[in-house]
Amino acid sequence: MASIWILIGIIILVVFIVMAISSKKQAIVVKMVFVIFLLLMLTLGYVYAKTNPDLSNVSGVMNFSKVYFAWLSNAFSNALDASGYISKQPWDVEGKNKTKTNKK
C-alpha cells in the first residue's frame, strides 16, 4: 500500500514540475488544473488503497469506476449534509443561550 502512495506522489511531483515550467500567462488556469489534478489523484489513490481492485481487465476497471463514483457521490452528499447542518445553527452574537431580562 505504501508503494501506491509513493507512485501517486511521484506522479504529482512530475505534473507539478511540468506545470511550474509552463507559461506565466496561464498561471491561474495552471494552478486551478493542478489543484483539480491533486484532488483527483488523492481521492483515486484513497479509494484504490481502501478497495485494492483488480485493474488487469475491463470489468475490474468498470467495478473500480463504480466504486469511485459511489464514494465521490457519498462524499459530496456528506459535505452537503454538514453544510446544511452548519447553516441551521444560531449564528447571532449572543448565542443560543441568551438570557432574557425583563424591563419594567
Side-chain angles (χ1 to χ4, degrees):
M1 184 159 74
S3 63
I4 295 168
W5 290 110
I6 292 171
L7 179 63
I8 289 171
I10 290 170
I11 292 170
I12 290 171
L13 182 65
V14 167
V15 169
F16 180 70
I17 291 170
V18 169
M19 290 174 66
I21 295 172
S22 68
S23 174
K24 296 294 180 182
K25 294 178 183 177
Q26 303 168 353
I28 294 173
V29 175
V30 169
K31 288 178 185 177
M32 190 169 63
V33 168
F34 179 69
V35 168
I36 291 170
F37 174 76
L38 184 65
L39 290 173
L40 181 69
M41 288 302 295
L42 289 175
T43 58
L44 279 170
Y46 176 77
V47 174
Y48 183 86
K50 288 292 185 178
T51 59
N52 199 13
D54 177 26
L55 300 177
S56 62
N57 53 32
V58 175
S59 65
V61 172
M62 294 300 289
N63 287 336
F64 176 71
S65 298
K66 289 177 186 177
V67 169
Y68 175 73
F69 286 115
W71 178 86
L72 197 61
S73 173
N74 285 337
F76 280 119
S77 176
N78 290 341
L80 288 174
D81 290 344
S83 62
Y85 175 77
I86 290 169
S87 68
K88 293 178 184 173
Q89 297 304 308
W91 292 99
D92 55 343
V93 176
E94 288 84 20
K96 187 176 180 180
N97 298 323
K98 176 172 78 170
T99 59
K100 295 182 180 180
T101 57
N102 293 331
K103 293 184 179 180
K104 293 183 181 181

